[in-house]
Amino acid sequence: MVPVPIGLVLSGGLVWQASHAAFSGRTTSSGTSWTAGSVNLSNDSGGQPMFNLTNITPGDTGTRCIAITSQATVPTNIKLYTSTASPPANDISPYIDVTVEDGTGGSFDSCTGFSPAGAVDYTGTLENLTTTRTNYANGIGPWALTGNPPETKTYRVTWTFRATAPDSTQGGSTPNVNFTWEAQTA
C-alpha cells in the first residue's frame, strides 16, 4: 500500500510542475516622464517707459523701438495691447497719431537698423489704441513664434502730435499708457 501514496505524491508534483512551466515574456518602457513647456518674455527697455515727453507742441513727432525676446519652449502667439488710468480732464490723446510696426533690427536705444516685416500693424490715434486694444483677445497681432528660443522681434512705435491740434490742448496731457506684449501658447 505504500506504493499508492508515493505514486499520488509523485503525480501531484508532476501536475504542479507542469502548471508552472509555461513560456513567458515581457518588455518595459522605463523612465517615462512629462515636463511642462515654459513661456517667458523680456524686453530691452531696462524698465524705462516707451515715451516720457513734456512740452510737446503740434507737429512734434518721435519714434521708439523695443526688442521683445521670447524664451518660450513651446509655440506661442504674441499680441500687443495697452492699459491706462482714467484720462485727464484735458486729454490730448485724440490728437496724437500712433503707428506700430513689427520687424527686425533696432533696439530701445535706437531704431537704427529696424526693418519692418510687412504691413503696418496699427495706425490710429492714441485714444483709439488705448480704448480698443486693451487685452490679449483684442490686441494687435498675433505674431507666431516657433518655441525655439531665443526668438526676438522688434517693434517700432511712431507718434505725431497733430499739427491741427486746437489751442485747447495747451497744457493737456495723456493718461499714463502701459504697452504690454503677452505670449500665449498656440
Side-chain angles (χ1 to χ4, degrees):
M1 271 290 231
V2 173
V4 172
I6 290 177
L8 284 175
V9 169
L10 286 176
S11 67
L14 288 175
V15 169
W16 179 77
Q17 207 38 295
S19 67
H20 284 81
F23 290 118
S24 69
R26 73 178 62 139
T27 184
T28 302
S29 173
S30 61
T32 301
S33 66
W34 287 260
T35 302
S38 62
V39 177
N40 184 324
L41 293 178
S42 62
N43 69 64
D44 67 342
S45 72
Q48 297 178 52
M50 286 287 292
F51 301 101
N52 189 10
L53 306 167
T54 58
N55 298 320
I56 64 173
T57 58
D60 284 354
T61 190
T63 300
R64 172 73 75 178
C65 286
I66 187 168
I68 308 298
T69 300
S70 170
Q71 295 294 338
T73 60
V74 294
T76 58
N77 289 316
I78 294 178
K79 289 188 176 184
L80 164 62
Y81 58 90
T82 63
S83 60
T84 64
S86 297
N90 190 6
D91 183 10
I92 63 172
S93 65
Y95 304 99
I96 297 179
D97 293 319
V98 176
T99 301
V100 178
E101 303 166 279
D102 71 283
T104 59
S107 68
F108 194 78
D109 294 328
S110 170
C111 286
T112 301
F114 177 80
S115 178
V120 170
D121 298 310
Y122 173 85
T123 186
T125 66
L126 181 61
E127 177 186 50
N128 179 269
L129 178 66
T130 60
T131 58
T132 64
R133 307 303 182 129
T134 58
N135 58 53
Y136 186 85
N138 62 24
I140 300 168
W143 299 287
L145 298 175
T146 64
N148 296 311
E151 293 180 83
T152 300
K153 273 195 175 286
T154 304
Y155 299 89
R156 180 169 63 185
V157 180
T158 303
W159 65 272
T160 302
F161 189 22
R162 288 185 186 166
T164 58
D167 283 344
S168 62
T169 60
Q170 291 183 53
S173 62
T174 67
N176 286 334
V177 178
N178 297 314
F179 288 85
T180 301
W181 285 264
E182 182 177 336
Q184 292 188 6
T185 53

